[in-house]
Amino acid sequence: MNKAIFSIIGAIIIFSSGVLAQNSQNVDYTKFVNVFIGTGALDANSLSGSNFPGACMPFGLVQLSPDTREYPDDPCSGYDYKDSTILGFSHTHLNGTGCPDLYDFLFMPYGGDKKWQAGSDDGKTKGFRSHFSHSNEKAYPGYYSVVLDDYNIRAEMTATEHCGMHRYTFAKADTYHLIIDLEHTLIKDSPYRYSKIISAQVRVVDNKTIEGYRIVSGWAKLRKVYFRAEFSRPFDSQVMKAGSNEFQNIPVANHSDLKIILNFDQNNNMPLLVKVGISSVSAEGAKENLNAEMKDFNFDGISVQANKAWNKELSCIDISGTARQKSIFYTGLYHLFIQPNNIADVSGNYLATDNSIQNAPDKKHYSTFSLWDTYRAAHPLYTLVQEDRTAGFINSMLRQYKTYGYLPIWQLWGTENYCMIGNHAIPVIVDAFLKGIKGFDYEEAYQAVKASSTTSHKNSPFNVLDKYGYFPEDLQTQSVSLTLEIAYDDWCVAQMAKKLGHEADYKFFLNRSGDYKNLFDKTSGFFRAKDSRGEWINPFNPLEYGGNGGFPFTEGNAWQYLWYVPQDVPSFIDLMGNDQKFVEKLDEFFTLDAKPGDVNGNASGFIGQYAHGNEPSHHVVYLYDFTSQPWKAQYYSAKIMRELYNDQQSGYSGNEDCGQMSAWYIFSAMGFYPVNPANSVYCFGSPQLENATINLANGKQFKVITNNLSTDNIYIQKIILNGKPYQKNYIAHKDIENGGVIEFFMGKTPNKKMATYEKPLMIAGEL
Amino acid sequence: MNKAIFSIIGAIIIFSSGVLAQNSQNVDYTKFVNVFIGTGALDANSLSGSNFPGACMPFGLVQLSPDTREYPDDPCSGYDYKDSTILGFSHTHLNGTGCPDLYDFLFMPYGGDKKWQAGSDDGKTKGFRSHFSHSNEKAYPGYYSVVLDDYNIRAEMTATEHCGMHRYTFAKADTYHLIIDLEHTLIKDSPYRYSKIISAQVRVVDNKTIEGYRIVSGWAKLRKVYFRAEFSRPFDSQVMKAGSNEFQNIPVANHSDLKIILNFDQNNNMPLLVKVGISSVSAEGAKENLNAEMKDFNFDGISVQANKAWNKELSCIDISGTARQKSIFYTGLYHLFIQPNNIADVSGNYLATDNSIQNAPDKKHYSTFSLWDTYRAAHPLYTLVQEDRTAGFINSMLRQYKTYGYLPIWQLWGTENYCMIGNHAIPVIVDAFLKGIKGFDYEEAYQAVKASSTTSHKNSPFNVLDKYGYFPEDLQTQSVSLTLEIAYDDWCVAQMAKKLGHEADYKFFLNRSGDYKNLFDKTSGFFRAKDSRGEWINPFNPLEYGGNGGFPFTEGNAWQYLWYVPQDVPSFIDLMGNDQKFVEKLDEFFTLDAKPGDVNGNASGFIGQYAHGNEPSHHVVYLYDFTSQPWKAQYYSAKIMRELYNDQQSGYSGNEDCGQMSAWYIFSAMGFYPVNPANSVYCFGSPQLENATINLANGKQFKVITNNLSTDNIYIQKIILNGKPYQKNYIAHKDIENGGVIEFFMGKTPNKKMATYEKPLMIAGEL
C-alpha cells in the first residue's frame, strides 16, 4: 500500500457523517448530478469522458446539447469543456463513446448582420459561433442553458423523449436570425472514419413551421433522420444555403450541404421558442412525436417534467456519502440511463438493422448498444435497477437477429457498425436469462445466442475457430483478444444451453469456451498469438500495444489481456501455475510502470499496466477475490475510486463508454462488482458509501451499510448479511434480489482471514 | 452537296422496292431488331451507343444482360462489343446513358475448380470470367444467349417486367458453381463519379432459394435493391465471400463486399434454371414480383411472352424500307421503349424521390428520365406512339414534385441526380398538355411546372436569373447553355399558363423566355457569357468546348449552342440580322471543320461544327425550314441518317441516350422532326422510308408515303396531304392525330419553290 498517495487523497476526501441519510421519497436526486462531469479529460494523456452537458430524457431519442466542435471527432460528444465558443445546439448526441456520430440538426440563433464563416483548419471559426463562459452555463438533468456572449442571447434547452425545445431570450431589440444546419456532422476527413451526407431536404411548411431530413452515412452506415420544427413566432423571411448558393424564400430545397436561415422581426422582447420533433422513420413520425409530446410551448413545464422523469430513474439507489461521492454516483447513474436509446417513434415504428422500417409492439426499440463496453458492468447493473427495460433491450437486440442474422456487436441507431470485437450481446442475454428476468422469449433468445456463435461474420470467423481451436493471427487479426473474448461468450452460450436442455450444444460451447488455453504460453506466462501453423508469433513484447486491427491485442497489450478468463478463474489460476504465481503476476501488473513508445490512445488511467480508462482492465482488481489475498481487491478498488474518478469535468480517466465507466464506480462504491457478468455473482471490493439502498423492481430493498469508513479504513474487517456473519468474498444476485441488509465493517489494515472466505468460484452447475 | 460521299453511300445502300409492304397484323417486328446495335463505338473518336444486348421487357424494371466490364464506366451499358470475355449477367442496366449505374446482382456460372480472380488493372481478369465469341451469341427482344467458352456452358436469359430468368446448359458432367456477386457496381475510383456499397445481405432461405439486398450510393444517390432467386435444382453447399473472408454454409451474411458461391452436383444433364425477382422496395416486394410473374421455370414460355410484348409495342409504326432501314428503325423503337422504367413493384409500392416508400395507385411509377436528352424528340414521339404511358410518365414526374419540390432533371431509380441542366420535364408536360393528352391533372401539373421554374435549385438559381436577366458566369457556371435552355422552358410554362388562364404567369414567363437575347453578342454573332457586371467574358473562342461545369457551354461550344432558340426562331433570325445572314451562319456551322485541341467527349458525329453524337445539335438541321432554303434541312437530315447511323454495333455516333438518338432517326426517317418539342409542330426533312404507318392510340392511322426514293432523290419535290397539295414546311400534330395520308414526291435537286411554303412559325396564340 502506497501510503504517500493515500495521505494526499485523505487531504482531499472529507467523509460526511449521518446527516446525509435521507428519505428517498423527498429527495431530488437530480441535484446531485453534475452534467459537466466527463466533458473534459483528466490529463493530457487521457481521453475526455466524451459526455455531453445538454438536455435529454432517460433512454430517449433526443439529446439536445451544445456543440463546440465543427466536425466533432474527439470528444465524440461534440462538447469539450476547454472550448470557449459554441457552434450551435444539435439534437442527437452519443454519451461517452470513442467514435463520433449523430449531431443531427444544429440550431443556432444569432443577432445583427454577422456573416457566415466558412470555417478554418482548427474548426473553431465556422458558422455563427459565439463565445460563452462556463459561469453562464446552468444545466441539470433535463435542462441546459448558456449565454451566447457574442449576441447577448440566453439559450435554454429542454427535451422530451423524441423532441427538443429551445428558448432563446434576447437582451435587446435587434434583428435576430436562427440557422438550422443540416450539414453539421462528424469529422469527414479522418482516414479511418467516414461521413457523407447523401442528401438533405428542408421544406417551409408555413411561416412558423419547418420540416426536413437528412440521409447520412457515418459511423452508423446509413441513417435517415427527420425533424419538424415549430416556432412560437412567425419568421419574416428565410434564406436557403444549398452548397455555395443562397436562395431567398424558396419553399423547399434539397442538397447535401443544406442550411436554412430564418429571419425574425425582434421589435418586442418576447423570447423565441422552438419545439423540434425528431424521428428515425419519417416526416410523419417527427410530426406525430411532436404532437404527442410537445403540444404547446410550455418550456418550463417540459423542463420540470424531464427533471421529474430523471429523478424517478435516479431514485433506484438511495445513498449516503460525501457530496463528491454523490455527485460521481448520481452522475454515473445519469450517464448509465442516457442509453440504450429508444429510437422508435411514439407509433412504435423504428429503423431496423436492415434499414427497413418496422413496428415494435411495445413502442420501444432500443439501440446504442456499446456492448464490448457495457456487457461488463452496465448491463449487470441494469438487471438490478432497470429490470423491465432489460427485457426491452433484449427484445430490441433480438430484432437485429431476425433481420440481420446475428445479435448486435455495436448497434447505433438501429444499424450494426461492427465496432470492437466479440459478440457480447450474448452475456447480456444469458445474464438476464440466468437471473430469471421475464419479458422475452428464452428459446428464441437462445436461438439468437447460438446463431451469433455459429454464423461466421466480421471479426467472428467461427469456421476458423472451429478448425484451429484459436484464431490464428495470420487468418484473423486481434486474434488473442478475440480468442479470449469469444471463449467467454461461448461459456455463456453453454450455460443457457444447459438450462434449456440443449445438452449437445452445452457440451460443444463449454468445450469451445476452453479454447483460451490454446493461446497460453507457459514459458512467457502470457496469452500470445499463434499463426495457422500453430507457431507462436515472434517477436513478442507483452508491453506492445495494438489498436483495432493488425495486432493480436485490441486497444491494449498482452499484460492487459492476460486476465481475460472471467468464466473459469480457477482453471486459469492453474494454468498460470498456482495461487502464489497468480498473485505475483497480478501484483506485477499493478506496479509495472514500463510503457512502450506507442500506447493505444484508449489506454489511460494507469496503475502499472492496469488502465482504468479502457474496459479490458475493468474486472482485474476483483480477480484478487479468487486468490489468497482478496484484500488487494479492496485496496485497488478504493484507490481507483479515489484517484481515477472525480466530480469535475475531468471525472473519468477515459471515455465514459455509454455508462460502463459509471457502472464500474456505482458497483464498486457499493462494494461489489461482477467479474463474470453472466454468472449472477458480484465480487467484493472496498465499499465506499455509508449507506446504499437499492430499490428493486420486485418492491424489495437491498441495503448496503458500511461502518467505520474513513480515508484510511479501506479494508473489510467483517461482513454481516441479514444479521448473520458472512464469510464469502462475493454476494450472489439472488441474495440481493431477495432484499436484505449487508453490513461491512471497515478498518485500516487487511483482514487476512478473508483468505479463507468462500471464493466466487461459481461454475455452471451451481448457477 | 458532297457527291463523292454520296456515291460511296450509294454503293452501300440498296433500296428495296414494294415487296416489303406488309400487313402489320402478321408481322414479327422483333425480327428487325438487332439488339447489338449501339453496343460499340462508330470510330475511335466516338462514344459507344452504350446500349446493352440482354433481355428485358418494354419499360420494365429488369434488364438482364452480360457485363464485360469489371466496374463499368464507358460504355455505361456494361457491355462493349469489342470485349472478348464476360464477367457475368446482372439484372439492371441503363440503355444508352453517358453515366454508369445499376448492374445489380451479377450471376455467373462456372465449372470445375477455377479460383476467384481478384481482378487486374484493366478490369479484364476478375472473377470467373469466360471467353465468348459473338458467333455464339443469339439475342432478340426478350432473349439473350451466349456460350461461355471457358466452361462450355450455354447461358440463356429472358425477362418479365420485374424478374429475370436464367437457363444454364452444361455440355458435360462436372462440378458446377454459380456465383452471385453483390459487389459488382459502377466504376468506383473515378474522380467525378462515386460508388459505395453501404451494405449488402445474402440470406439462404433454403437449398433452392436465396434472398439478398444491397444499399448502394452511386449515380443514383441511394438505392436499396432486393432480389429473390429460386433455383430449379437444389444446391449442395454454398460459400459466402464477405470481403477477404470465406464462410462455408452460413445461413446469412452482411458485408459491403459480398458474394455467394452455390455448388451444384452435376451428375445429370439437366439444365439449371434460375428465376430472380427484383424490387426497389423490399424483400417481400421481390418475392411478390416473382410469384406474380414467374410461377414456374417455363423459360421458353417466358421468352415467347417477352417477345410478344415487344412485338406489340413495335407494331405502333409499320414501315416499308430497306433491311438496313428496318433494322435501324425498329431497333430504335426498341431502344426508345426500354425506358422510362416502371420501378414500382406489382403491388404499386415504389421508391420515392425522398427515399421514402410510397404506393402508386396505377401500379406504375416510371423513372429513368434522361430529360435533357429525351425531351427533344423521344418524348414528342411517345406522345404519338405511347400516349397512355405518356400520362404515366407525367404522373410519375409529378410524384417527384410532391416529395421533392420540383420536377425531375435526371431521375434514376426514383431519385434525382441533377445530371445535365434545365428543367426539361416542363416541355414534356406542356407538350402533352397542349396535345390534349388525358390522364393527368392539368392544374396540378401546372403548379409543378411553375414551382420548377420558380423554386431555385441546383443549376437553376432563378433568383439570379430574375435579377440579371441571364445567368452571369461568375455566379452560375454553364451560364449560356442555362440561359438559353431555361428561356425555352419558360416559354413552355407561359403557353400552359395562358391556356389555363394564368395570365400574370403567362406574361412573366413569356417575358423571361426572351432572356436569351441578353446574351447575344451582335459583334461576334454568338451567344456569349457575361459576368455579373454585365461585361462579356473574354477571351472568347466559339470553338472552345465546355463539359459539365466551369465553362459557359455544356458539353459543347458556342457554335453548337448558337442555335438554341426553338421557341421563337423568327425573332432569333431577326437577332442574327436577317434570313440571309442566318442561312450563311447555318451553312458555316455545317462546314467549318476546325477543331480545338480539346473537344468534349460527348461531341462526336461531326458535320462541320454540327455534332450529331450529342443532343444540342439535334434540332439544327431543321432550322433551315424557317429560312428561304428549306431543302438544306432535307440534305443534311438525309446525310445524317445515311452516314451517322448504321445497322451494326456501331450504329450510333454517340451515346444513344435513352431513346433520343433513336427518336431522331425515327422521326427523320418518316420525314419530320419537332424543332420545338412543345409546340405540336414537326418540321420537314428528307423522308427516307417508302411507307410508314403510325397506328395511333385513337385507333386512326397516319400514313407517310414517299415516292421516287433513291440514293440521289433526297429532295422533296411535292407534298400531298389527304389528297390535296400541301405547301407548308411542317405538319401539325393535330393533322397526324386526325389520321390521314401524306405523300412525298422526291427528286435529286431541291425544289426551290419550297422557299415560299408556309414556315413552321407557330407561336403561342396559334397552338
Side-chain angles (χ1 to χ4, degrees), chain A residues 379-434:
Chain A
H379 279 283
L381 188 51
Y382 292 135
T383 68
L384 284 170
V385 297
Q386 293 289 350
E387 191 174 323
D388 289 347
R389 281 200 174 85
T390 291
F393 301 158
I394 291 170
N395 284 323
S396 301
M397 292 193 276
L398 293 177
R399 292 184 196 123
Q400 166 159 338
Y401 161 65
K402 281 180 227 167
T403 56
Y404 208 64
Y406 35 90
L407 290 161
I409 290 110
W410 211 125
Q411 196 198 76
L412 175 57
W413 266 58
T415 67
E416 179 59 58
N417 65 27
Y418 296 96
C419 188
M420 307 309 299
I421 58 170
N423 293 281
H424 301 319
I426 293 171
V428 172
I429 291 173
V430 173
D431 187 38
F433 165 70
L434 293 176

Side-chain angles (χ1 to χ4, degrees), chain A residues 194 201 224 254 354 403-404, chain B residues 194 224 254 354 403-404:
Chain A
Y194 171 85
Q201 180 178 95
K224 189 174 179 189
N254 303 280
D354 64 351
T403 56
Y404 208 64
Chain B
Y194 170 86
K224 190 173 178 188
N254 302 280
D354 65 351
T403 56
Y404 208 63

Side-chain angles (χ1 to χ4, degrees), chain A residues 572-737:
Chain A
F572 175 46
I573 292 172
D574 289 347
L575 200 63
M576 296 273 276
N578 53 37
D579 175 82
Q580 185 189 340
K581 288 184 178 169
F582 188 82
V583 169
E584 283 170 5
K585 198 88 172 186
L586 268 174
D587 290 347
E588 188 182 357
F589 179 65
F590 283 101
T591 50
L592 180 66
D593 284 333
K595 298 278 187 306
D598 191 15
V599 172
N600 180 267
N602 290 282
S604 60
F606 284 102
I607 302 174
Q609 294 302 306
Y610 180 90
H612 194 68
N614 208 19
E615 279 67 16
S617 291
H618 276 192
H619 66 296
V620 183
V621 297
Y622 292 96
L623 289 177
Y624 279 113
D625 280 328
F626 294 78
T627 75
S628 56
Q629 301 184 30
W631 51 86
K632 289 184 178 169
Q634 298 159 35
Y635 169 76
Y636 281 115
S637 63
K639 179 177 172 70
I640 293 164
M641 278 183 272
R642 294 172 182 191
E643 295 179 20
L644 296 174
Y645 288 84
N646 70 55
D647 59 355
Q648 305 299 309
Q649 66 275 14
S650 60
Y652 301 107
S653 52
N655 295 149
E656 201 270 340
D657 285 328
C658 297
Q660 169 59 24
M661 286 287 262
S662 295
W664 190 96
Y665 184 91
I666 292 162
F667 268 128
S668 295
M670 295 192 294
F672 49 88
Y673 185 90
V675 165
N676 177 339
N679 75 343
S680 306
V681 161
Y682 308 94
C683 301
F684 289 148
S686 178
Q688 294 289 301
L689 303 172
E690 283 186 26
N691 284 284
T693 302
I694 304 174
N695 297 306
L696 298 155
N698 60 15
K700 295 178 182 173
Q701 290 187 322
F702 184 75
K703 288 180 194 282
V704 181
I705 298 171
T706 313
N707 299 295
N708 307 328
L709 264 177
S710 75
T711 305
D712 292 337
N713 289 355
I714 59 169
Y715 293 108
I716 298 170
Q717 307 298 309
K718 189 174 71 173
I719 308 170
I720 304 286
L721 177 65
N722 297 330
K724 294 179 186 167
Y726 187 80
Q727 297 201 334
K728 298 178 181 178
N729 284 331
Y730 69 91
I731 186 164
H733 182 78
K734 66 177 187 303
D735 286 332
I736 297 176
E737 279 293 301

